Amino acid sequence: MAASSSSCSWPKRRVLANTLILFILIGLSCIVAADDDVKQDDDTSPKSPSCNNPYELVKVKSWAGGAEGKTLTGLNARFGALLPSHAEKAPRLSAVFSNPLNCCSSSSSKFSGSIVLAIRGDCDFTKKAEVAQSGGAAALVVINDNEDLFKMVCSDNDTAINISIPVVMIPQSGGETLNKSLASGQKVELLLYAPDRPVVDYAVIFLWLMAVGTLFCASLWSDITASEKTDERYNELSPKESSNAGSDKDDAEKEVLDISAKGAIFFVIMASAFLVLLYFFMSSWFIWVLIVLFCIGGVEGMHACIVGLILRKCRKCGLKAVNLPLIGEVSIISLVVLFFCVAFAIFWAVTRKSSYSWFGQDVLGICLMITVLQMARLPNIKVATVLLCCAFVYDIFWVFISKAIFSESVMIAVARGDNSGGESIPMLLRVPRLFDPWGGYDMIGFGDILFPGLLISFAFRYDKANKKGVLNGYFLWLMIGYGLGLFFTYLALYLMDGHGQPALLYLVPCTLGVIVILSLVRGELKQLWNYGEEESLPSPTPRDPSEEA
C-alpha cells in the first residue's frame, strides 16, 4: 500500500508543479495586443490651432544610384503638411543634406524641390522647418540622435507658424544609411507616405478561429483520444458510475488536478508578483528563462497530444518498450515522439526571430494549452467564479489601472518585451498581418484562452455526465459566448486605435455570465454551484438501535 500511495502522490505533485509554473507564465499574457500601431497620437503632447497634426508612422522609401534600398520608418511632426496615404500619390524626390547640418540657419544653396536631411539639435524643430521651407525644400527629414522616434512639437513661442511642407523624423541608423550613400557620390531619392492600416485584417479571423478551435479540441480531447473500448465502457455504465467511479480512476491515471478557491486566489497573487518582477528586472536573459520554460511546456504538451492521437489509432504501438539507464522502461513510440518534439522546440527557439517562426510558436502553444486543460480542472461554478473574477480584476488592473502607479501599463510593457533587447514573451498565439502595409502580428495571450477554457471544459464534462443534449446543455452556449467575447475584444482593440486590451474584460462576462444566467433560468444554479461536493461528503454511519435502547 505504501508503494501505491507514493506512486499516486508523485503524479499529483508533478502536475501541481507543472500547472503552477504554466499558470504563472500564462498570467503574463492575459492580453490581446497589436504591434506598434500606425496611430501614435496622444493627449499629452501640446497642441495649438496651427500645430495639431495627429502623429502617424511614415514609410520612407529610399533609392541609391537608382537601386531601391531599405524602407525606413519615420514619424511625422505635430506641424506641417500631412503626407498622402498611398505611395502612388507621393513624389519621388532627391535628398540632400542641409548646410549647416542642423538646418538652424539659412543655407547659401537652394534646395529646389528636394527633400532636406538635417540632424536633430541646436534649435527648435519649427525653426528647422522654416529654414528648409524658405530654401525651397519639398520636405524635411530630421535624423534623430538615437533609435527612438521623438515626437516633434511646437514650442511655446510658436503661436502662429506657417509651415506647408511635411516634416518627418527617422532614427539614427536610417540617417547613417542615407549618409553613406550620399558620401559615396550616389544620388539618393526618397518617397514619403503614411499608409493607413486596414480596419480588418484576415489575421484576426484566423486568430479567432485558432482560439475557438483550441478550446473546442481541448474540451473534447478525452473523447478524441479515447479508444473504442473506452467509449463502449462509458455507454454500458450508468451516468452515476461513469461520472464518479470512472472519473476518479481516470483522474488518477491522467494526473488531473482540481483547482480550489484558495488555489485560484493564490495564483493571482503569484502571477501579480511575477509580473512586477519581470517589469522591473526584464532583460534578455530573463526572456531566455521564459523561452526555456515555454519550450519545456510545449514539448510536454506536444508529446502528450501526438502520443494520444497515435494510441487512439494503434493501441498496440504503445506496448513495445525499451529499458534505458536511470529512466527504466520507456515506450519506443513515446521516445521517438519525444525526440521529434524536442527537435521541433529547439528549431523554433533558434529561428524564433524568422518570419515563419510564428507557426512553430502557435503549434507549441496550442499543444501546451490542450494539455493544461487536461491537467487542471474546475470542480464547480463556485471555484470558477472565484478564479475568473480574480483573473478579471487582475487583467484590468495590470493593463489599465497600473498606469497611474507605474506611469505605463505594466502588462503591455511586459508583453512588448521592453528592455529585453527586442525579445517578447512567447506565451502568445500570433498570426502575421498578411494585408497590412505595416506588417506586424495580431496576438492573443494564453490566459485569454485558458481561463475561459477551464469553465468551458467543465461545462462539457457536466453535460456529458448528466446526459444533456446540445441545446439543453451549457457547452454550446459557452462556446458561442466565448466567440462573441473574443469578437468584442477585437472590436474594442480597433476602436482604441490598436492599444492593448484586457481580453478577460469581455470574455469573463460572456462565459461566466452566460452559464450563471442560463443555469439560474433553468433552476440548476445551486447544483452547478456545489457540483461534486455532495458526492465527496462521507455518508453518515447508521446507529445501532440497540445502542439507543
Side-chain angles (χ1 to χ4, degrees):
M1 294 296 292
S4 175
S5 175
S6 175
S7 64
C8 182
S9 61
W10 161 245
K12 289 293 183 181
R13 289 196 298 268
R14 175 175 172 269
V15 71
L16 178 61
N18 287 344
T19 305
L20 180 61
I21 293 174
L22 293 174
F23 269 77
I24 289 176
L25 297 180
I26 288 157
L28 303 178
S29 55
C30 295
I31 182 172
V32 168
D35 281 355
D36 294 338
D37 198 69
V38 175
K39 304 296 182 182
Q40 299 287 314
D41 210 11
D42 56 46
D43 296 326
T44 59
S45 301
K47 292 183 179 181
S48 66
S50 57
C51 187
N52 59 358
N53 287 346
Y55 290 119
E56 292 182 334
L57 292 179
V58 176
K59 281 188 177 291
V60 182
K61 299 185 71 174
S62 63
W63 290 264
E68 185 171 354
K70 183 179 179 181
T71 299
L72 308 174
T73 298
L75 184 69
N76 72 309
R78 184 67 95 182
F79 52 88
L82 293 176
L83 291 166
S85 58
H86 298 282
E88 297 79 10
K89 298 181 180 179
R92 176 174 163 180
L93 303 172
S94 60
V96 295
F97 269 106
S98 62
N99 185 18
L101 289 176
N102 57 18
C103 200
C104 290
S105 59
S106 300
S107 175
S108 57
S109 59
K110 296 297 182 180
F111 301 125
S112 61
S114 300
I115 296 177
V116 175
L117 304 175
I119 61 173
R120 178 184 174 184
D122 300 328
C123 63
D124 294 334
F125 293 115
T126 52
K127 176 64 175 178
K128 296 177 186 292
E130 289 172 351
V131 171
Q133 180 173 288
S134 63
L140 171 65
V141 174
V142 180
I143 302 172
N144 201 6
D145 52 11
N146 54 54
E147 290 303 297
D148 294 331
L149 293 176
F150 187 81
K151 294 182 176 180
M152 296 180 287
V153 299
C154 301
S155 64
D156 296 334
N157 299 326
D158 298 324
T159 55
I161 60 174
N162 184 23
I163 298 174
S164 58
I165 61 173
V167 181
V168 176
M169 174 168 284
I170 61 174
Q172 184 181 32
S173 59
E176 292 174 351
T177 301
L178 299 177
N179 184 36
K180 288 179 181 179
S181 299
L182 287 170
S184 63
Q186 294 179 310
K187 180 182 179 181
V188 174
E189 296 174 299
L190 299 178
L191 186 149
L192 311 177
Y193 69 109
D196 295 324
R197 173 156 283 161
V199 177
V200 177
D201 190 88
Y202 289 110
V204 173
I205 300 174
F206 189 56
L207 195 62
W208 185 93
L209 291 173
M210 275 206 305
V212 174
T214 298
L215 280 187
F216 182 81
C217 291
S219 300
L220 277 67
W221 193 253
S222 296
D223 290 353
I224 293 173
T225 57
S227 64
E228 295 180 359
K229 291 183 179 180
T230 304
D231 294 337
E232 291 172 1
R233 184 186 66 177
Y234 171 78
N235 291 332
E236 292 171 358
L237 294 175
S238 65
K240 183 177 181 180
E241 290 173 334
S242 62
S243 61
N244 295 328
S247 63
D248 293 340
K249 183 177 179 180
D250 291 341
D251 287 354
E253 294 175 353
K254 297 179 181 179
E255 307 174 6
V256 172
L257 173 68
D258 282 332
I259 301 173
S260 64
K262 292 181 179 179
I265 298 174
F266 176 73
F267 156 72
V268 173
I269 296 174
M270 288 293 295
S272 297
F274 200 66
L275 187 67
V276 173
L277 183 68
L278 268 180
Y279 176 73
F280 284 110
F281 300 101
M282 176 73 79
S283 61
S284 57
W285 70 266
F286 215 148
I287 290 293
W288 261 109
V289 172
L290 298 181
I291 290 174
V292 171
L293 290 176
F294 170 72
C295 287
I296 293 173
V299 166
E300 185 171 353
M302 192 175 183
H303 178 268
C305 291
I306 295 177
V307 171
L309 292 174
I310 291 176
L311 294 183
R312 168 181 167 78
K313 294 295 183 181
C314 179
R315 284 287 174 181
K316 295 181 180 180
C317 296
L319 300 178
K320 297 179 181 181
V322 60
N323 283 315
L324 296 177
L326 302 177
I327 299 177
E329 191 174 281
V330 180
S331 168
I332 294 178
I333 189 67
S334 178
L335 197 60
V336 172
V337 172
L338 178 61
F339 286 146
F340 169 77
C341 295
V342 171
F344 188 92
I346 293 176
F347 179 79
W348 169 81
V350 172
T351 63
R352 68 191 182 281
K353 294 185 178 180
S354 303
S355 59
Y356 54 81
S357 65
W358 65 273
F359 179 78
Q361 180 173 326
D362 291 350
V363 170
L364 290 171
I366 289 173
C367 292
L368 171 61
M369 288 186 284
I370 290 176
T371 305
V372 169
L373 290 176
Q374 307 310 303
M375 293 194 308
R377 291 182 177 180
L378 293 175
N380 48 49
I381 297 301
K382 178 167 60 179
V383 177
T385 301
V386 174
L387 177 64
L388 290 179
C389 287
C390 286
F392 178 82
V393 174
Y394 165 87
D395 211 10
I396 295 175
F397 177 84
W398 289 114
V399 174
F400 289 148
I401 303 177
S402 62
K403 290 181 181 179
I405 304 174
F406 299 92
S407 73
E408 64 177 335
S409 172
V410 173
M411 182 77 79
I412 294 178
V414 172
R416 280 198 311 253
D418 293 356
N419 304 321
S420 63
E423 295 275 7
S424 60
I425 61 174
M427 283 71 69
L428 299 162
L429 293 184
R430 58 193 185 113
V431 178
R433 301 190 189 108
L434 301 177
F435 300 96
D436 191 331
W438 290 100
Y441 295 86
D442 283 309
M443 299 175 284
I444 181 171
F446 288 176
D448 303 325
I449 299 175
L450 282 172
F451 284 123
L454 289 167
L455 179 60
I456 293 173
S457 296
F458 165 78
F460 177 79
R461 296 194 309 273
Y462 177 84
D463 291 350
K464 181 178 177 180
N466 291 273
K467 299 292 186 180
K468 286 186 172 291
V470 175
L471 295 180
N472 64 351
Y474 295 93
F475 174 70
L476 173 64
W477 303 113
L478 285 183
M479 286 298 302
I480 294 174
Y482 179 81
L484 288 174
L486 202 55
F487 169 78
F488 293 144
T489 303
Y490 282 108
L491 180 62
L493 184 69
Y494 287 113
L495 293 177
M496 295 290 289
D497 289 331
H499 296 292
Q501 292 294 299
L504 294 179
L505 171 64
Y506 311 94
L507 293 174
V508 170
C510 290
T511 51
L512 181 63
V514 166
I515 194 171
V516 169
I517 294 174
L518 191 59
S519 61
L520 185 64
V521 172
R522 294 174 176 177
E524 298 176 344
L525 179 58
K526 184 177 180 181
Q527 180 185 359
L528 285 167
W529 188 264
N530 300 306
Y531 185 70
E533 292 185 354
E534 290 84 357
E535 291 84 346
S536 62
L537 294 176
S539 57
T541 304
R543 291 187 175 183
D544 190 346
S546 61
E547 294 179 359
E548 296 180 0

